[in-house]
Amino acid sequence: TGRAHCFPSRVPEPLAVWSAMLATSAARWLPRDFVVSSQTGGLFTLLAYCAMLLVFVSECVAFLAPSFSTTMMLDRHDGDLIQINFDVDMYDIECRNLHVAVFAQGSEERVSYQDFWLRPIDRNGMLGNAIKPGQAEKPEDAEAEHRRSMEKLAKEDGKAELDSDWDSSHDGFNHKHFDHVIAAHDYTFINFFATWCSHCRQFAPAWAELAAKVNGGENGTAAMVFKDKSGVERSVRMIKMNCVDFQGICREKGIDAFPTLRLYKSDGNMFVFGGKRVEEALVDFITKRVGQDAGWSKDHNHFEYGCNAKGRLEVPRVPGRFELTAGTGDQNLNSKMTNVSHFIKHLSFSDPNDGRYHRKPWAGLPRDVTRHINPVDGQIFVSHNFHETWIHDLKVVSTVSPKEKTVYQFSHQKRLSAVDPEEIPQARFHFDIEPFSILIKSESKKWYDFGTSLLAIMGGAFVVMRLMSRVSLATSTSLQRLMKSASGSARAGGEVIGHFD
């Protein structure tokens, strides 16, 4: 043909077959850039293969992954109720003082079917009581020192002063040293009460009757004695503390509910009574606590319990509010020390038919939907100041899944609201159900559409790479010609100048 082609003298084994094919007349119809091997062509061939592989993988992933579309329509529901699922820890409210209720919007009418339970939690967030190892028994010299201290306090303050009730600041006693009262007795059982507390007034006769038996002295009756762990008989003094007249002491001791009953040892360690306020339960409590060393503590926070409220409520599908209400138990809370900080472990809405298995309809939903089904899970809401209440505003939207199951998304806005100093703060959740639903449809690509698009994109990638290769080769050839032309002109100019010289 008059054209010279240069081939390597030694061709690697994979390329030998390709070179032999090029030598045959069967390959003459191929374009020249397919016949002539070059580094640029090899590079673009490699890039083409990589691009086609990437396109193939991407198309396969898109084909296998589900896709969704959404449509808005009027609210579709099967009944007149909606279920609220909740799991909330109240850090500073005991279960005895916590109540769960749902109210219709604009009224105090309680509307709900309740299926939940309350579990006490200790200060470390653990269920049940946290019992610490007790101290060792008092040696004989410590017991002797204890007796000497009691005698010294009796001489300084007077036995009548130490044995008297702190019922009023104008009862003729000094009431200066509350710690002396505790240190002057083996054990002191104290009733912290408030004159305005209705539970305190109801409990007062039972306390007075039991105090007359335990303290003794009236009508010549002997005081009751209780044996400690070593078998030594101990006396217990029952005293009342009026937290209206002696607010400073009650605040220092962390009294936030009335009545609060505490059993103190002479060294200041204590136990808090949490049972039913009847004589049998009170005597049993004193007997057991005097007879044990473990579990006593000087820190009142050791006996501060929170409460976990968990369960479900069925409420009408109308706007309303869901409340964790403090102060509805057998104690009156101190509004100036009530804190409603809480941790939301779970909060969601569902159909009543789902019952306890309300998470099942969530399966198969896209991530954009599931993250709005329970958006407040795992969040802590802390009240840093007293007289503050947390208010949560929830906008609820029903959502129909591709499996024809109804789930509920909701948006959440929170705010801290100041309350009157005499009002007990509450944790409130205001919810409003929107009158429309979101219908989610699952969309999948047909196999022939997948095959067509895959071949088209791979072919397009190959064509683009071939065009880029030819443009690159043409550009490279043009640059080489220009460089040769410039080099030839330079040599010709040198010869003329030399001849002139």
Side-chain angles (χ1 to χ4, degrees):
T1 59
R3 296 183 182 179
H5 296 277
C6 297
F7 294 95
S9 58
R10 294 189 62 187
V11 181
E13 186 65 25
L15 297 180
V17 178
W18 180 252
S19 299
M21 187 190 73
L22 292 179
T24 64
S25 59
R28 293 178 180 177
W29 59 271
L30 292 172
R32 186 174 182 277
D33 55 333
F34 277 77
V35 177
V36 179
S37 62
S38 65
Q39 292 183 352
T40 304
L43 175 62
F44 277 101
T45 301
L46 180 62
L47 291 176
Y49 284 137
C50 292
M52 287 188 290
L53 179 61
L54 178 62
V55 168
F56 176 77
V57 173
S58 301
E59 278 295 304
C60 289
V61 171
F63 176 70
L64 297 175
S67 60
F68 301 92
S69 64
T70 58
T71 305
M72 187 177 295
M73 60 182 182
L74 288 177
D75 187 16
R76 190 185 78 175
H77 57 274
D78 299 328
D80 297 327
L81 298 177
I82 190 173
Q83 180 172 294
I84 303 176
N85 311 290
F86 62 95
D87 186 358
V88 182
D89 287 348
M90 300 294 292
Y91 288 123
D92 201 37
I93 306 297
E94 296 184 41
C95 290
R96 64 194 297 180
N97 295 317
L98 183 65
H99 188 70
V100 180
V102 177
F103 301 88
Q105 187 179 43
S107 71
E108 296 301 318
E109 178 189 3
R110 298 193 178 192
V111 286
S112 68
Y113 162 75
Q114 302 180 353
D115 179 19
F116 67 92
W117 53 94
L118 306 176
R119 296 180 297 176
I121 52 177
D122 63 23
R123 59 184 299 190
N124 297 317
M126 302 297 293
L127 295 176
N129 299 330
I131 305 297
K132 293 184 178 180
Q135 300 176 350
E137 298 179 358
K138 291 184 178 180
E140 293 184 1
D141 55 347
E143 178 67 21
E145 179 63 26
H146 169 60
R147 293 299 173 190
R148 286 193 295 268
S149 176
M150 291 174 62
E151 294 173 0
K152 180 181 178 181
L153 291 173
K155 290 180 180 180
E156 291 179 356
D157 296 353
K159 191 174 187 307
E161 173 77 22
L162 297 174
D163 291 346
S164 65
D165 286 323
W166 291 49
D167 200 20
S168 171
S169 57
H170 305 287
D171 57 3
F173 294 100
N174 294 326
H175 298 311
K176 290 184 178 180
H177 305 291
F178 179 71
D179 293 338
H180 288 188
V181 175
I182 295 175
H185 301 94
D186 289 334
Y187 294 87
T188 311
F189 197 22
I190 301 179
N191 174 11
F192 295 91
F193 74 98
T195 53
W196 49 263
C197 168
S198 58
H199 294 291
C200 300
R201 291 194 293 270
Q202 295 174 3
F203 176 56
W207 174 270
E209 183 178 350
L210 179 59
K213 297 178 181 179
V214 174
N215 295 339
E218 295 185 6
N219 301 323
T221 58
M224 294 179 64
V225 292
F226 303 85
K227 293 184 178 181
D228 64 12
K229 187 176 181 180
S230 303
V232 179
E233 293 184 345
R234 302 290 184 181
S235 63
V236 176
R237 187 70 188 180
M238 294 181 63
I239 291 176
K240 293 188 297 182
M241 166 70 74
N242 187 341
C243 288
V244 174
D245 285 8
F246 303 100
Q247 293 184 19
I249 295 176
C250 293
R251 188 178 298 111
E252 177 186 347
K253 299 300 180 182
I255 306 300
D256 55 5
F258 307 103
T260 293
L261 308 181
R262 291 181 179 176
L263 179 63
Y264 285 88
K265 292 176 69 173
S266 58
D267 59 2
N269 284 294
M270 64 177 175
F271 254 113
V272 178
F273 176 76
K276 191 174 182 180
R277 292 188 290 267
V278 296
E279 180 176 327
E280 181 180 357
L282 292 169
V283 172
D284 183 64
F285 169 77
I286 296 174
T287 303
K288 288 182 177 179
R289 299 314 177 196
V290 171
Q292 77 176 64
D293 284 337
W296 294 85
S297 176
K298 291 185 178 181
D299 184 7
H300 66 84
N301 288 316
H302 177 76
F303 299 98
E304 293 292 338
Y305 295 100
C307 187
N308 168 258
K310 181 179 180 180
R312 56 194 177 95
L313 305 171
E314 293 183 8
V315 301
R317 296 176 64 92
V318 296
R321 72 178 189 271
F322 157 53
E323 285 190 3
L324 296 172
T325 306
T328 57
D330 61 353
Q331 291 180 311
N332 289 92
L333 297 183
N334 185 350
S335 62
K336 298 178 181 179
M337 298 188 66
T338 302
N339 189 301
V340 292
S341 297
H342 53 281
F343 170 45
I344 300 179
K345 294 181 177 178
H346 178 70
L347 178 65
S348 66
F349 295 82
S350 64
D351 278 344
N353 294 332
D354 297 334
R356 297 180 180 178
Y357 307 101
H358 61 275
R359 296 176 186 261
K360 281 188 175 181
W362 301 3
L365 290 173
R367 172 62 180 167
D368 290 341
V369 174
T370 56
R371 66 189 181 94
H372 292 295
I373 294 178
N374 53 339
V376 296
D377 284 16
Q379 295 190 31
I380 299 176
F381 301 91
V382 179
S383 300
H384 296 283
N385 304 305
F386 294 116
H387 317 305
E388 288 182 343
T389 185
W390 277 102
I391 297 179
H392 304 269
D393 295 305
L394 313 176
K395 294 289 186 180
V396 185
V397 180
S398 62
T399 305
V400 182
S401 70
K403 298 179 180 179
E404 297 297 320
K405 297 291 186 179
T406 302
V407 299
Y408 293 86
Q409 304 180 72
F410 67 90
S411 63
H412 172 252
Q413 299 292 332
K414 62 183 183 297
R415 53 193 169 96
L416 267 175
S417 177
V419 298
D420 187 89
E422 301 302 323
E423 180 182 350
I424 303 295
Q426 315 292 344
R428 295 175 178 172
F429 300 80
H430 295 267
F431 58 90
D432 188 9
I433 302 174
E434 299 295 342
F436 59 86
S437 294
I438 297 177
L439 176 62
I440 301 177
K441 295 182 179 180
S442 178
E443 297 181 346
S444 59
K445 183 181 290 187
K446 302 297 183 181
W447 66 268
Y448 46 83
D449 290 336
F450 164 70
T452 303
S453 62
L454 179 63
L455 293 176
I457 294 176
M458 291 178 65
F462 183 82
V463 170
V464 169
M465 287 299 171
R466 183 184 174 191
L467 290 174
M468 292 177 63
S469 174
R470 299 195 68 170
V471 170
S472 174
L473 288 173
T475 303
S476 175
T477 302
S478 299
L479 290 176
Q480 289 178 2
R481 289 177 180 175
L482 289 174
M483 291 176 64
K484 288 181 179 179
S485 176
S487 176
S489 299
R491 287 196 298 271
E495 292 174 356
V496 172
I497 293 173
H499 178 72
F500 180 80
D501 290 341

